[in-house]
Each structure stands twice: as C-alpha cells, then as structure tokens.
Amino acid sequence: MIDFVVLALLTIITASTPLVFAAIGEIVVEKAGVLNLGVEGMMIVGAIGAFAVAVTTGDPTLAILAGAASGLVLAFIFGFLTLYLLSNQVATGLALTLFGIGFSALLGNGFVGQTYGGLPHLDIPILSDLPFVGQLIFGQDVLVYLSVFSALGVTWFLGRTRWGLAVRAVGENHDAAHSIGFSVTLIRMGAVLFGGAMAGLGGAYLSLAHTPLWVENMTAGRGWIALALVVFASWKPWRAFFGAYLFGGITIVQLHAQGFGVDVPSQILSMLPYLATIVVLVLISRDGSRARLNAPACLGRSFHASG
Amino acid sequence: MLIRLEPRAEASRAMVYQSPLIAVVLTLIAGMIMFRILGTDPLQAVHAFFIEPISTVQGLAELLIKATPLILIGVGLALGFQANIWNIGAEGQLTLGAIFGGIVALAFFDVESIFLLPAMLIAGIVGGMLWAAVPAFLKTRYNTNEILTSLMLVYVSFLLLSYLITGPLRDPDGFNFPESRLFHDSALLPIILEGTRLHLGFLVALLFAVLAWLMIVKHIIGFQIKVIGMAPAAASFAGFKEKKLVWLTLLISGGAAGLAGAIEVSGPIGQVIPVVSPGYGFTAIIVAFLGRLHPIGVVLAGILMALTYLGGDSAQITMNLPNAVTGVFQGMLLFFLLASDVLIRYRIKLGAPRVREVTQRQEGVT
C-alpha cells in the first residue's frame, strides 16, 4: 500500500510540474498587464527544442536550456507584435499557439520515434533511500526542484522587490507607471520573455521527463489549463502551485481508476482534467466582482506613449 | 535613425484592405527563406506549394472542398470576434457536428430518403450549437471566460469521438478498425461538378456567407454586434442586451461549425473516422481575421487558406517536405497580418518627433 501511495504521489509530481512552470510564468506576464494566450505554443516548442538537443547532444543541462530558449524566442515574437506593433493580444496569442504547434511539428519531423533516457534524478546516499520521503523529496530531477523554487522566487520577486513592484505597477496602471519614469514596454517585454522561458521549461519537462519522447501535439492542452490555473489562483504564485498539483492529482485519479476496476471507458476518464478545468473556472468566476478585483487592471490593454 | 509609430488622426480604410496583401507577400518571402533553410530550391518549393495543386480542374475542386468548412466556420467566428466574443472552440463544435450528423446517417443506415441528408445537416447544426451553448451559458450565467471553456471542450469532443468510434459507432464488419460503416448514397452530398469531388456543401457555405453579410449590413443585430465590439459602454447605454448577443454569436458560430462537421462526413469523408478535421476550426480563426471579419472577405480568405492545406500535401509528395509546413505558413500569415494591421491606426515615421508636433500634441492635451 505504501508503495502504491509513493508511486501515485510520484506520478502526481510528474503530471503537475509542467503546469507549475507554465502557470507561474504566465502569472508574471499577466501581472505586467499582458495576456499571452500562446502558452500552449511556447510549451510545445520548448518540448521539441529540449528533446532535439537532448537526443543530439545527450546533455540534460543543454537540453533544459534549449527548452527555455525555445519558449523565449516565441515569446519574443509575441512581445514584439503586441508591445511594439500594438497588435491585439488575444489574436496574437492565438497566432502564437497555432504557429507553435505547426513549427514544433516541422522541427520534430526528424525526431519522431526516437527516445531519450530521461533526466537524471537526485541521489543523496542516505536521504534518497529513506522509506516514503526518500524518493519523494530527495529523489526528484532538477526541474521538479526548479519548479518549487520558481514558485518561491516569483512570490518573493513580485511581493518584495523593487522590480516586482514595477511589474505590478505597469500591470495595474500603465499610464501612471509611465509618468513616473518606468519604461512600460521594456518591463512588459521582460515579463513576456520570462513567461516564455517558463513555458518552455514546462514543455521541456514534458519531453525530457514526463514522457521522454517526441509526439506531435504532446502538450495536449496543458498550456490552456495553465492559463485557467492563473485565473483559478487569482494571480498568486502559491495558489497556482497548489492548483497545478490539484490538476496533477485529477490526471492520476484518471490513470489509476481503471487499475481499480472502475468500468468506465478510458476516453471518458481522460476528459476529467478538461472538465475539471471548466468546473474550476466556473467556481472562481461565479463571483464576478471578486474576479475583477484580483485581475491586473490593465490586463490585455496595449500601451503607446502618445496615448 | 529612429523608427517610431505615430497615431493617425483616423483609422485608415485603405490599410484595412491592403494589410492582408502585405501579409501575404511577407509570408511568401518568409516562406521562401524557410524553404531555403530546409534545403530545397525556394522557387521550386513555392511552385509545388501554391501553383501545382491548383493547376488542374480536380485541384481547383479540391481547393473549394477544403475552403468549404473554413468559410462556414470563419464567417460564424467573424460575427463573434466583431463583438469581442472569442469562440475558439470551433474545432470541437465541428467534431460534434460530425458526430451528430454521423449518428443520423448510421441510425437510418438502410433508409433511402431525400430527407436523410437534410436531417444529417440539421443534426450537425444542433450538435455544434449544443457544444457552443455550454460556453454561452457559462459566460452569461457565471461570467466564465469563453476562450478557455470553449477550448477545453475541443479536447472533450475529440475524446468523445474517439470513444464512440471505438464503441457504438464502429463498423460491425470492420475487423475492429476504428471506423464507421461507409454511408449510403442517400447520406452523401451530391456532386456539383462532374469528374471531381466538389459537392453541394460549397454552395451552402457561400449561401451562409451571403446571409451573414445581409445580417450585418441590413439587420439591427449586425449593428448591435459592431457597437458592442467597438464601444461596449455605448452599447449598454443604448440598451443592447449583451447576453443576448453572446448567446446569438456563439450559437451561430457553433451551429456553422457543426454544419461544417456534418458536411465533412457526408461529403469528402463519407463515414465517421477518428479524426474528421485537420484543424479547420483553428485555421478558421486565421481566416476570420484575414477576411477582415467580413463575410465576403472570409470567403476569399477561406479559399487562400485552403491552398495552404493543398500546398502542404503537394509539397510532401513532390518535394518530400514535411506536411507540418502548412501549419507554419498559417501561423506566419497571421503574425504578418497582425503586424501589418498596426498601419491601420498608426503610420511609420523616421527620425525623432519634431518640436512643433510635440508642442501641438501637448496643447491638445491641456
């Protein structure tokens, strides 16, 4: 029984980590007042970028960096279009997702069917062999630790640093932030790039650790679920972290339900994460005034210095 | 030298129509660079991609077949986009339309009646509307973001189709292949051009575009949609019912996508299969923007985007290029379009702003 619980918890961590990265990254983007709906596209390009480098070089560090860089490049396209050419953020985000899915399929064409050994796990002599907690706490790969650290880091950055304050300022009132001398465009660009790198890391985790191979469309809507998590979390990093684990848990229930002899077709069970997303969104947005209170006031609005 | 954007006094009408052309040209240039990087001769690749597929009558017919769902869905989506209602789950509504239409065809498998085909198409519309009614209900009742709910339902619809096609709808004599039986002739759309596969669905799509155009130009609903998109506050002062428009635009776009799904299974496919669309519901988003959210523009844009599908197949066969090139082209086109659209409201100026301009602007503010 203990073994089963450990196994289930391990799979929950695996299923949740990509969502943590993508959601925490998007929180910073949206806190800066930018709505980037291209998370799915940045994730999938991060996934193939990381996988391609992993298979070619065999170096996990390079692969992780490549994942982050791939997401960053896509985010730069988005940032350039929305911040400098003032294009509609909703439409540009959709374009980023459509482009990312096509572009990743093109890049991944030569990598279909190849496999990668997976990321190395932490192995501390005594600690990692402890019963129960050993594997869970001291036996993860570097990206899992990084995802926890990112929740901590972003909470600290947004709440406790001068630049975090600047990010929140341009998200709440870009005209006021501009008038006291902040460069709205540059700060937003920084946030967008950070969000892209994080989504890329989420994708990298998928193709390096979750299922270490390349399949077209392998993100399967996780980028969109991450966007829903941001709303669910009321733009708070820690709530997004636990939200991601809640979703990871739902995914696992679905995987294990059949093991327990639940007689429901697998496809119906696979609908659970998507249906749960809808339910969660309804619960959180039911109280309209509260949702509006939490959302950054300038979310989705373009800024041009001439007004 | 400094490049900067200067707001125009009023939006440029001319740029609204020039911007898609600029985007197409830029996409072609970027595409040729991409082909070069992929290690093929750019001119030859562009020929294989854009000219070869439509150099025969069959090719042109295939173009219009692929354009049919894009036009139907694009016209529907454009209505909602004008009112800032973002139904991006058309792919799911299309899938439901295919399921509903397919169920009717299979339930009356032995029936030979002229009513079968209309019943299938209506079932498809109902299926798409039902799927779009979920985000409409959640948005109007609980204020839930329709982008995320409509998109989540896309994945649910894929799984639903996958379940049905491996279970209840599977061909009993099909050796367990996940496919339905082939529809009888009375469940298939009539061919309108001898010697090709071009079916009646294309005319249905054109008819729908004309009806939508009439609604936008002549009917009060069309006016309300435009006002809500441009000035939501003005619309609410004028007493327009926003909830009604949310329902209306989502039901119309969902119904149109469902109809497209039913047309796909009763037209080019002829049975229910696990994947009924190569992403028409998502590509139609690009079609709507490229067509300037105008029904007639959407028809032209739909035909152009259909060419990227044919081109992808053709380039795969003749040049051995990966089929995914299609998606890259479509994404690039939308990027360039959105980028060129900046010229509608701004003009590009070189050099720093002149002093007079700046003072004028400041005087304007005070």
Side-chain angles (χ1 to χ4, degrees):
Chain A
M1 189 58 200
I2 291 282
D3 281 350
F4 174 77
V5 172
V6 171
L7 192 72
L9 289 174
L10 281 174
T11 18
I12 289 178
I13 293 174
T14 319
S16 314
T17 303
L19 295 175
V20 173
F21 277 119
I24 302 262
E26 180 69 12
I27 282 180
V28 175
V29 180
E30 294 195 10
K31 272 288 182 189
V34 182
L35 179 65
N36 185 353
L37 293 181
V39 181
E40 179 86 359
M42 300 187 295
M43 268 182 110
I44 189 92
V45 172
I48 183 59
F51 187 74
V53 170
V55 169
T56 327
T57 67
D59 184 343
T61 315
L62 274 182
I64 290 169
L65 288 176
S70 313
L72 192 113
V73 169
L74 246 70
F76 177 78
I77 302 177
F78 174 86
F80 182 74
L81 285 171
T82 55
L83 302 175
Y84 290 93
L85 300 183
L86 311 170
S87 65
N88 178 314
Q89 294 181 5
V90 173
T92 314
L94 292 175
L96 198 67
T97 290
L98 295 172
F99 175 77
I101 291 172
F103 190 56
S104 63
L106 181 64
L107 289 179
N109 199 42
F111 293 96
V112 176
Q114 301 202 36
T115 50
Y116 174 66
L119 288 177
H121 285 241
L122 188 68
D123 191 11
I124 306 171
I126 296 157
L127 290 177
S128 299
D129 300 328
L130 286 174
F132 199 69
V133 293
Q135 279 294 303
L136 284 179
I137 298 179
F138 301 108
Q140 299 292 338
D141 57 61
V142 58
L143 280 178
V144 173
Y145 296 116
L146 190 62
S147 73
V148 180
F149 176 77
S150 73
L152 276 170
V154 166
T155 309
W156 171 77
F157 172 78
L158 286 176
R160 293 269 177 270
T161 66
R162 186 182 140 76
W163 284 109
L165 186 66
V167 166
R168 287 187 289 144
V170 299
E172 290 297 339
N173 189 336
H174 51 213
D175 293 316
H178 175 69
S179 66
I180 57 169
F182 282 124
S183 168
V184 175
T185 313
L186 273 183
I187 290 171
R188 286 193 169 161
M189 190 56 149
V192 165
L193 292 180
F194 175 76
M198 289 287 279
L201 284 177
Y205 187 82
L206 276 177
S207 65
L208 297 179
H210 186 277
T211 38
L213 43 86
W214 165 249
V215 188
E216 267 184 41
N217 269 325
M218 68 185 295
T219 43
R222 287 187 180 82
W224 295 103
I225 292 181
L227 278 163
L229 277 174
V230 174
V231 181
F232 167 70
S234 310
W235 292 267
K236 292 182 180 70
W238 274 110
R239 288 187 59 174
F241 184 85
F242 289 115
Y245 272 76
L246 190 71
F247 271 86
I250 293 171
T251 321
I252 297 318
V253 168
Q254 171 231 129
L255 278 179
H256 287 286
Q258 282 177 313
F260 284 117
V262 180
D263 190 23
V264 178
S266 66
Q267 291 97 337
I268 306 295
L269 286 171
S270 303
M271 291 175 187
L272 272 177
Y274 306 112
L275 294 176
T277 307
I278 295 177
V279 171
V280 158
L281 278 171
V282 169
L283 290 179
I284 212 76
S285 54
R286 202 177 36 175
D287 185 358
S289 56
R290 218 190 62 192
R292 265 194 297 279
L293 215 62
N294 283 316
C298 282
L299 187 60
R301 283 171 44 196
S302 296
F303 174 79
H304 186 256
S306 73
Chain B
M1 193 175 68
L2 198 70
I3 303 173
R4 65 200 168 77
L5 294 171
E6 190 183 270
R8 291 179 193 268
E10 55 185 304
S12 159
R13 293 276 297 167
M15 277 315 299
V16 172
Y17 302 107
Q18 283 165 22
S19 158
L21 300 177
I22 298 175
V24 169
V25 171
L26 289 176
T27 308
L28 273 180
I29 296 171
M32 283 164 83
I33 296 170
M34 179 179 77
F35 285 131
R36 187 87 210 94
I37 295 170
L38 287 171
T40 52
D41 176 14
L43 284 177
Q44 202 190 343
V46 166
H47 185 268
F49 205 94
F50 292 107
I51 313 282
E52 215 170 86
I54 47 168
S55 53
T56 61
V57 178
Q58 271 83 8
L60 281 171
E62 290 298 316
L63 183 73
L64 300 184
I65 292 171
K66 291 246 186 316
T68 300
L70 293 176
I71 293 170
L72 273 172
I73 304 170
V75 168
L77 292 183
L79 284 177
F81 291 176
Q82 283 195 11
N84 271 329
I85 296 158
W86 302 93
N87 172 13
I88 60 166
E91 186 77 3
Q93 293 138 22
L94 179 151
T95 307
L96 258 283
I99 292 174
F100 272 53
I103 287 176
V104 170
L106 295 168
F108 300 100
F109 188 68
D110 297 321
V111 178
E112 283 197 30
S113 157
I114 50 161
F115 296 111
L116 181 56
L117 199 53
M120 286 171 65
L121 298 184
I122 290 169
I125 295 174
V126 170
M129 281 186 170
L130 277 178
W131 219 235
V134 178
F137 173 73
L138 297 179
K139 186 177 174 71
T140 50
R141 181 81 173 74
Y142 298 113
N143 196 28
T144 311
N145 181 316
E146 76 281 12
I147 297 179
L148 293 169
T149 49
S150 65
L151 195 99
M152 287 298 129
L153 288 175
V154 173
Y155 295 98
V156 176
S157 76
F158 288 165
L159 290 162
L160 182 65
L161 175 60
S162 160
Y163 160 68
L164 290 174
I165 204 65
T166 48
L169 296 186
R170 190 172 55 196
D171 182 356
D173 312 315
F175 307 103
N176 272 344
F177 269 106
E179 285 179 357
S180 81
R181 292 197 264 196
L182 288 169
F183 296 169
H184 275 176
D185 284 350
S186 56
L188 294 176
L189 284 166
I191 302 293
I192 56 171
L193 188 61
E194 257 337 288
T196 69
R197 300 200 305 153
L198 187 60
H199 54 75
L200 195 62
F202 180 65
L203 297 183
V204 174
L206 287 187
L207 180 70
F208 179 62
V210 171
L211 289 178
W213 179 65
L214 286 177
M215 191 182 95
I216 289 177
V217 188
K218 298 281 180 205
H219 199 279
I220 182 76
I221 296 279
F223 176 69
Q224 295 187 345
I225 285 176
K226 276 187 276 189
V227 174
I228 269 203
M230 286 190 276
S236 80
F237 283 133
F240 298 170
K241 303 268 184 297
E242 199 194 335
K243 287 186 177 181
K244 199 181 90 183
L245 286 185
V246 170
W247 272 104
L248 194 77
T249 53
L250 277 166
L251 286 185
I252 293 179
S253 54
L259 178 61
I263 286 179
E264 281 305 293
V265 291
S266 62
I269 304 176
Q271 65 184 133
V272 183
I273 51 175
V275 179
V276 287
S277 146
Y280 290 135
F282 294 115
T283 305
I285 297 170
I286 307 178
V287 169
F289 282 112
L290 192 66
R292 312 280 73 184
L293 306 183
H294 186 289
I296 308 305
V298 168
V299 171
L300 300 174
I303 293 173
L304 180 70
M305 290 306 274
L307 184 54
T308 62
Y309 280 112
L310 289 186
D313 293 341
S314 153
Q316 188 175 29
I317 295 164
T318 57
M319 314 268 310
N320 209 13
L321 284 169
N323 190 289
V325 169
T326 299
V328 178
F329 257 107
Q330 295 179 349
M332 282 198 305
L333 186 58
L334 187 48
F335 279 145
F336 283 124
L337 179 74
L338 293 167
S340 339
D341 274 354
V342 72
L343 297 173
I344 296 172
R345 284 179 299 124
Y346 296 85
R347 68 179 98 233
I348 296 174
K349 283 271 170 156
L350 299 179
R354 278 175 296 158
V355 180
R356 232 182 82 218
E357 268 177 59
V358 173
T359 43
Q360 268 176 352
R361 205 179 297 143
Q362 281 165 349
E363 278 160 11
V365 170
T366 48

